[in-house]
Amino acid sequence: VKIVGMSSITDCQKAFANAINLQSVDLTEFDSSNVINMDYMFYKCSKIKTLNLTGLFDVSNVTNFGNFFDGCSALTDLNITTWQTTEAITFYSMFRNCSSLEHIAPTAVTSE
């Protein structure tokens, strides 16, 4: 599945939730710059193995990431290197039940 455009969307809550047969999603051209809620976005997407959430996938205004990947039990590789999460308030159970996830590539954090 490839999702593009749609910059007017502000709520992606449960966008792919319970899509138990979903194996691949390309969101690199999805303009999510106005989204503030991504609660349960990939909840129980148990067949997705890898996700590249870079490119136009902008989470800088998101405040809620609760249960975002909860139940993605086949997920083994995740690229979130471009994520800016300074507005985020909730990360509750974001990676719960991600039993196969061995690699997360987050943005490097520097200390001053």
Side-chain angles (χ1 to χ4, degrees):
V1 174
K2 184 172 186 168
I3 310 294
V4 298
M6 299 188 217
S7 63
S8 63
I9 292 177
T10 60
D11 192 339
C12 286
Q13 182 179 24
K14 298 181 180 179
F16 301 99
N18 296 305
I20 59 173
N21 291 314
L22 186 64
Q23 295 181 18
S24 174
V25 180
D26 183 351
L27 294 170
T28 56
E29 293 183 39
F30 172 54
D31 182 355
S32 57
S33 60
N34 290 312
V35 176
I36 57 171
N37 186 8
M38 291 188 170
D39 190 34
Y40 287 93
M41 190 163 171
F42 289 100
Y43 179 68
K44 291 191 178 181
C45 290
S46 58
K47 290 190 180 178
I48 291 179
K49 292 184 179 180
T50 63
L51 279 172
N52 182 351
L53 299 175
T54 60
L56 292 178
F57 195 75
D58 178 359
V59 297
S60 61
N61 289 313
V62 176
T63 59
N64 187 353
F65 288 101
N67 300 92
F68 192 92
F69 301 106
D70 185 1
C72 292
S73 56
L75 189 62
T76 59
D77 189 35
L78 179 62
N79 185 345
I80 56 174
T81 57
T82 61
W83 283 25
Q84 298 297 320
T85 59
T86 55
E87 297 298 317
I89 298 169
T90 303
F91 293 96
Y92 179 79
S93 296
M94 187 172 176
F95 297 101
R96 186 172 70 182
N97 298 313
C98 292
S99 55
S100 299
L101 186 59
E102 297 177 9
H103 180 72
I104 300 173
T107 303
V109 176
T110 58
S111 60
E112 296 179 25

